[in-house]
Short mmCIF file of all heavy atoms in Angstrom, two decimals:
data_model
loop_
_atom_site.label_atom_id
_atom_site.label_comp_id
_atom_site.label_asym_id
_atom_site.label_seq_id
_atom_site.Cartn_x
_atom_site.Cartn_y
_atom_site.Cartn_z
N HIS A 275 1.27 4.83 -2.79
CA HIS A 275 2.72 4.63 -2.69
C HIS A 275 3.45 5.97 -2.90
O HIS A 275 4.38 6.30 -2.15
CB HIS A 275 3.15 3.61 -3.75
CG HIS A 275 4.60 3.20 -3.64
ND1 HIS A 275 5.20 2.36 -4.55
CD2 HIS A 275 5.55 3.52 -2.74
CE1 HIS A 275 6.46 2.17 -4.21
NE2 HIS A 275 6.70 2.88 -3.12
N VAL A 276 3.01 6.74 -3.89
CA VAL A 276 3.63 8.05 -4.15
C VAL A 276 3.49 8.96 -2.94
O VAL A 276 4.46 9.63 -2.52
CB VAL A 276 2.99 8.70 -5.41
CG1 VAL A 276 3.36 10.17 -5.51
CG2 VAL A 276 3.42 7.96 -6.66
N ALA A 277 2.30 9.00 -2.34
CA ALA A 277 2.08 9.86 -1.17
C ALA A 277 2.95 9.41 0.01
O ALA A 277 3.48 10.24 0.76
CB ALA A 277 0.59 9.86 -0.79
N CYS A 278 3.09 8.09 0.18
CA CYS A 278 3.94 7.59 1.28
C CYS A 278 5.41 7.91 1.03
O CYS A 278 6.15 8.17 1.99
CB CYS A 278 3.74 6.09 1.45
SG CYS A 278 2.16 5.66 2.22
N CYS A 279 5.84 7.88 -0.24
CA CYS A 279 7.20 8.32 -0.56
C CYS A 279 7.39 9.78 -0.16
O CYS A 279 8.43 10.16 0.41
CB CYS A 279 7.48 8.15 -2.05
SG CYS A 279 7.70 6.45 -2.58
N CYS A 280 6.39 10.62 -0.48
CA CYS A 280 6.46 12.04 -0.09
C CYS A 280 6.59 12.17 1.43
O CYS A 280 7.42 12.94 1.93
CB CYS A 280 5.20 12.77 -0.55
SG CYS A 280 4.97 12.85 -2.33
N GLY A 281 5.77 11.40 2.16
CA GLY A 281 5.82 11.45 3.62
C GLY A 281 7.16 11.01 4.17
O GLY A 281 7.72 11.66 5.07
N ASN A 282 7.72 9.93 3.61
CA ASN A 282 9.00 9.42 4.11
C ASN A 282 10.13 10.41 3.85
O ASN A 282 10.98 10.64 4.71
CB ASN A 282 9.31 8.08 3.44
CG ASN A 282 10.56 7.45 3.98
OD1 ASN A 282 10.67 7.14 5.16
ND2 ASN A 282 11.55 7.29 3.12
N ILE A 283 10.16 11.00 2.67
CA ILE A 283 11.23 11.95 2.32
C ILE A 283 11.12 13.21 3.18
O ILE A 283 12.12 13.73 3.69
CB ILE A 283 11.16 12.29 0.81
CG1 ILE A 283 11.54 11.05 -0.01
CG2 ILE A 283 12.07 13.45 0.46
CD1 ILE A 283 11.19 11.14 -1.47
N LEU A 284 9.89 13.71 3.36
CA LEU A 284 9.71 14.93 4.16
C LEU A 284 9.99 14.69 5.64
O LEU A 284 10.28 15.63 6.37
CB LEU A 284 8.30 15.48 3.96
CG LEU A 284 8.01 16.05 2.57
CD1 LEU A 284 6.52 16.33 2.39
CD2 LEU A 284 8.81 17.34 2.35
N CYS A 285 9.91 13.42 6.09
CA CYS A 285 10.24 13.11 7.49
C CYS A 285 11.67 13.50 7.83
O CYS A 285 11.98 13.81 9.00
CB CYS A 285 10.06 11.61 7.76
SG CYS A 285 8.38 11.15 8.19
N HIS A 286 12.54 13.48 6.84
CA HIS A 286 13.95 13.79 7.10
C HIS A 286 14.18 15.26 7.43
O HIS A 286 15.26 15.64 7.86
CB HIS A 286 14.80 13.35 5.91
CG HIS A 286 14.88 11.87 5.73
ND1 HIS A 286 15.65 11.05 6.52
CD2 HIS A 286 14.23 11.03 4.89
CE1 HIS A 286 15.49 9.80 6.17
NE2 HIS A 286 14.63 9.75 5.18
N LEU A 287 13.17 16.09 7.24
CA LEU A 287 13.29 17.51 7.60
C LEU A 287 13.07 17.73 9.08
O LEU A 287 13.39 18.81 9.60
CB LEU A 287 12.26 18.34 6.81
CG LEU A 287 12.34 18.28 5.27
CD1 LEU A 287 11.20 19.09 4.66
CD2 LEU A 287 13.69 18.79 4.79
N PHE A 288 12.53 16.75 9.79
CA PHE A 288 12.17 16.92 11.20
C PHE A 288 12.86 15.85 12.03
O PHE A 288 12.70 14.66 11.78
CB PHE A 288 10.65 16.83 11.37
CG PHE A 288 9.89 17.86 10.59
CD1 PHE A 288 9.48 17.60 9.29
CD2 PHE A 288 9.62 19.11 11.13
CE1 PHE A 288 8.78 18.55 8.55
CE2 PHE A 288 8.92 20.07 10.41
CZ PHE A 288 8.51 19.79 9.12
N THR A 289 13.58 16.30 13.03
CA THR A 289 14.43 15.39 13.82
C THR A 289 13.65 14.26 14.46
O THR A 289 14.06 13.11 14.41
CB THR A 289 15.16 16.19 14.92
OG1 THR A 289 15.82 17.29 14.32
CG2 THR A 289 16.17 15.31 15.63
N LYS A 290 12.51 14.56 15.06
CA LYS A 290 11.81 13.53 15.83
C LYS A 290 11.24 12.44 14.93
O LYS A 290 11.04 11.31 15.38
CB LYS A 290 10.72 14.14 16.70
CG LYS A 290 9.46 14.61 16.00
CD LYS A 290 8.45 15.05 17.06
CE LYS A 290 7.16 15.56 16.44
NZ LYS A 290 6.19 16.00 17.47
N TYR A 291 11.00 12.75 13.67
CA TYR A 291 10.52 11.72 12.74
C TYR A 291 11.69 11.03 12.04
O TYR A 291 11.59 9.85 11.69
CB TYR A 291 9.56 12.33 11.72
CG TYR A 291 8.31 12.86 12.35
CD1 TYR A 291 8.08 14.22 12.47
CD2 TYR A 291 7.35 12.00 12.87
CE1 TYR A 291 6.93 14.72 13.08
CE2 TYR A 291 6.20 12.47 13.48
CZ TYR A 291 6.00 13.84 13.58
OH TYR A 291 4.87 14.32 14.18
N ARG A 292 12.77 11.76 11.84
CA ARG A 292 13.94 11.17 11.19
C ARG A 292 14.59 10.10 12.08
O ARG A 292 15.10 9.10 11.60
CB ARG A 292 14.96 12.27 10.87
CG ARG A 292 16.18 11.77 10.10
CD ARG A 292 17.08 12.91 9.68
NE ARG A 292 17.77 13.51 10.81
CZ ARG A 292 17.61 14.77 11.20
NH1 ARG A 292 16.75 15.56 10.57
NH2 ARG A 292 18.29 15.26 12.22
N LYS A 293 14.55 10.32 13.39
CA LYS A 293 15.28 9.45 14.31
C LYS A 293 14.43 8.36 14.96
O LYS A 293 14.95 7.60 15.76
CB LYS A 293 15.91 10.31 15.42
CG LYS A 293 17.00 11.24 14.93
CD LYS A 293 17.60 12.01 16.10
CE LYS A 293 18.75 12.89 15.63
NZ LYS A 293 19.37 13.62 16.73
N ASN A 294 13.16 8.31 14.64
CA ASN A 294 12.30 7.35 15.31
C ASN A 294 11.41 6.64 14.29
O ASN A 294 10.55 7.26 13.67
CB ASN A 294 11.44 8.06 16.37
CG ASN A 294 10.76 7.08 17.30
OD1 ASN A 294 9.90 6.31 16.90
ND2 ASN A 294 11.16 7.11 18.57
N GLU A 295 11.63 5.33 14.14
CA GLU A 295 10.90 4.57 13.12
C GLU A 295 9.40 4.46 13.43
O GLU A 295 8.57 4.42 12.53
CB GLU A 295 11.50 3.18 12.98
CG GLU A 295 12.89 3.15 12.35
CD GLU A 295 12.85 3.36 10.84
OE1 GLU A 295 11.76 3.63 10.31
OE2 GLU A 295 13.90 3.26 10.21
N ALA A 296 9.04 4.38 14.71
CA ALA A 296 7.62 4.27 15.05
C ALA A 296 6.89 5.57 14.73
O ALA A 296 5.77 5.56 14.20
CB ALA A 296 7.47 3.92 16.54
N LYS A 297 7.50 6.72 15.04
CA LYS A 297 6.89 8.02 14.73
C LYS A 297 6.76 8.18 13.21
O LYS A 297 5.79 8.74 12.72
CB LYS A 297 7.74 9.15 15.30
CG LYS A 297 7.82 9.21 16.80
CD LYS A 297 6.49 9.57 17.43
CE LYS A 297 6.12 11.02 17.20
NZ LYS A 297 4.82 11.35 17.81
N ARG A 298 7.76 7.67 12.49
CA ARG A 298 7.71 7.80 11.04
C ARG A 298 6.53 7.01 10.48
O ARG A 298 5.88 7.44 9.52
CB ARG A 298 9.01 7.29 10.42
CG ARG A 298 9.12 7.59 8.93
CD ARG A 298 10.36 7.00 8.33
NE ARG A 298 11.57 7.56 8.89
CZ ARG A 298 12.79 7.24 8.47
NH1 ARG A 298 12.93 6.37 7.50
NH2 ARG A 298 13.85 7.78 9.03
N ARG A 299 6.21 5.89 11.08
CA ARG A 299 5.10 5.09 10.59
C ARG A 299 3.75 5.76 10.85
O ARG A 299 2.79 5.54 10.12
CB ARG A 299 5.16 3.69 11.19
CG ARG A 299 6.07 2.79 10.37
CD ARG A 299 6.76 1.70 11.12
NE ARG A 299 7.63 0.95 10.21
CZ ARG A 299 8.79 1.40 9.74
NH1 ARG A 299 9.24 2.59 10.10
NH2 ARG A 299 9.51 0.68 8.90
N GLU A 300 3.65 6.57 11.89
CA GLU A 300 2.44 7.37 12.08
C GLU A 300 2.26 8.35 10.93
O GLU A 300 1.15 8.56 10.43
CB GLU A 300 2.52 8.12 13.41
CG GLU A 300 2.48 7.22 14.64
CD GLU A 300 2.61 8.03 15.94
OE1 GLU A 300 2.31 9.24 15.91
OE2 GLU A 300 3.00 7.45 16.96
N VAL A 301 3.37 8.94 10.49
CA VAL A 301 3.33 9.87 9.36
C VAL A 301 2.92 9.14 8.08
O VAL A 301 2.12 9.65 7.29
CB VAL A 301 4.70 10.56 9.18
CG1 VAL A 301 4.73 11.40 7.91
CG2 VAL A 301 5.02 11.42 10.39
N LEU A 302 3.46 7.94 7.88
CA LEU A 302 3.14 7.19 6.67
C LEU A 302 1.67 6.79 6.63
O LEU A 302 1.07 6.72 5.55
CB LEU A 302 4.04 5.95 6.57
CG LEU A 302 5.54 6.21 6.41
CD1 LEU A 302 6.30 4.90 6.33
CD2 LEU A 302 5.81 7.06 5.18
N SER A 303 1.08 6.52 7.79
CA SER A 303 -0.36 6.23 7.83
C SER A 303 -1.17 7.43 7.34
O SER A 303 -2.13 7.28 6.58
CB SER A 303 -0.79 5.87 9.26
OG SER A 303 -0.26 4.64 9.66
N ALA A 304 -0.77 8.62 7.78
CA ALA A 304 -1.45 9.84 7.34
C ALA A 304 -1.20 10.09 5.85
O ALA A 304 -2.10 10.54 5.12
CB ALA A 304 -0.97 11.04 8.17
N ALA A 305 0.01 9.78 5.39
CA ALA A 305 0.32 9.96 3.96
C ALA A 305 -0.52 9.03 3.10
O ALA A 305 -0.95 9.42 2.01
CB ALA A 305 1.81 9.71 3.73
N ALA A 306 -0.76 7.81 3.58
CA ALA A 306 -1.62 6.88 2.83
C ALA A 306 -3.03 7.44 2.68
O ALA A 306 -3.67 7.31 1.63
CB ALA A 306 -1.67 5.52 3.54
N ALA A 307 -3.52 8.09 3.75
CA ALA A 307 -4.85 8.73 3.67
C ALA A 307 -4.85 9.85 2.63
O ALA A 307 -5.80 9.99 1.85
CB ALA A 307 -5.23 9.27 5.05
N ALA A 308 -3.76 10.63 2.60
CA ALA A 308 -3.66 11.70 1.60
C ALA A 308 -3.61 11.12 0.19
O ALA A 308 -4.17 11.70 -0.75
CB ALA A 308 -2.41 12.54 1.87
N GLY A 309 -2.96 9.95 0.03
CA GLY A 309 -2.89 9.31 -1.28
C GLY A 309 -4.25 8.92 -1.82
O GLY A 309 -4.57 9.16 -2.98
N VAL A 310 -5.09 8.32 -0.98
CA VAL A 310 -6.44 7.94 -1.41
C VAL A 310 -7.29 9.20 -1.62
O VAL A 310 -8.13 9.25 -2.52
CB VAL A 310 -7.10 7.01 -0.37
CG1 VAL A 310 -8.55 6.73 -0.73
CG2 VAL A 310 -6.32 5.71 -0.29
N SER A 311 -7.05 10.22 -0.81
CA SER A 311 -7.78 11.49 -0.94
C SER A 311 -7.61 12.08 -2.34
O SER A 311 -8.57 12.52 -2.97
CB SER A 311 -7.30 12.48 0.13
OG SER A 311 -7.88 13.74 -0.07
N VAL A 312 -6.35 12.07 -2.84
CA VAL A 312 -6.12 12.66 -4.17
C VAL A 312 -6.43 11.67 -5.29
O VAL A 312 -6.73 12.07 -6.41
CB VAL A 312 -4.67 13.18 -4.31
CG1 VAL A 312 -4.45 14.35 -3.39
CG2 VAL A 312 -3.65 12.09 -4.02
N ALA A 313 -6.38 10.36 -4.98
CA ALA A 313 -6.68 9.37 -6.01
C ALA A 313 -8.15 9.40 -6.39
O ALA A 313 -8.51 9.30 -7.56
CB ALA A 313 -6.30 7.97 -5.50
N PHE A 314 -9.03 9.55 -5.41
CA PHE A 314 -10.47 9.51 -5.65
C PHE A 314 -11.17 10.84 -5.39
O PHE A 314 -12.37 10.96 -5.62
CB PHE A 314 -11.12 8.45 -4.76
CG PHE A 314 -10.78 7.05 -5.14
CD1 PHE A 314 -9.95 6.28 -4.34
CD2 PHE A 314 -11.27 6.48 -6.30
CE1 PHE A 314 -9.63 4.99 -4.68
CE2 PHE A 314 -10.96 5.18 -6.64
CZ PHE A 314 -10.14 4.44 -5.85
N GLY A 315 -10.45 11.83 -4.87
CA GLY A 315 -11.13 13.05 -4.44
C GLY A 315 -12.00 12.76 -3.24
O GLY A 315 -13.09 13.32 -3.10
N ALA A 316 -11.52 11.85 -2.35
CA ALA A 316 -12.33 11.39 -1.21
C ALA A 316 -11.53 11.51 0.08
O ALA A 316 -10.96 10.51 0.54
CB ALA A 316 -12.77 9.95 -1.44
N PRO A 317 -11.46 12.70 0.68
CA PRO A 317 -10.63 12.86 1.88
C PRO A 317 -11.08 12.02 3.07
O PRO A 317 -10.25 11.42 3.76
CB PRO A 317 -10.70 14.36 2.19
CG PRO A 317 -11.82 14.90 1.37
CD PRO A 317 -12.00 13.99 0.21
N ILE A 318 -12.40 11.93 3.32
CA ILE A 318 -12.88 11.14 4.46
C ILE A 318 -12.66 9.65 4.16
O ILE A 318 -12.23 8.87 5.03
CB ILE A 318 -14.36 11.42 4.75
CG1 ILE A 318 -14.56 12.90 5.08
CG2 ILE A 318 -14.86 10.56 5.89
CD1 ILE A 318 -16.00 13.32 5.20
N GLY A 319 -12.94 9.24 2.94
CA GLY A 319 -12.70 7.86 2.54
C GLY A 319 -11.22 7.50 2.66
O GLY A 319 -10.88 6.36 3.01
#
Side-chain angles (χ1 to χ4, degrees):
H275 187 185
V276 167
C278 286
C279 287
C280 296
N282 185 61
I283 292 166
L284 291 169
C285 275
H286 291 285
L287 302 176
F288 300 90
T289 308
K290 74 174 179 181
Y291 296 108
R292 184 174 70 243
K293 293 182 177 181
N294 193 293
E295 291 284 6
K297 295 292 289 179
R298 189 184 297 184
R299 275 151 182 74
E300 293 178 22
V301 173
L302 295 180
S303 291
V310 174
S311 173
V312 293
F314 290 109
I318 300 173

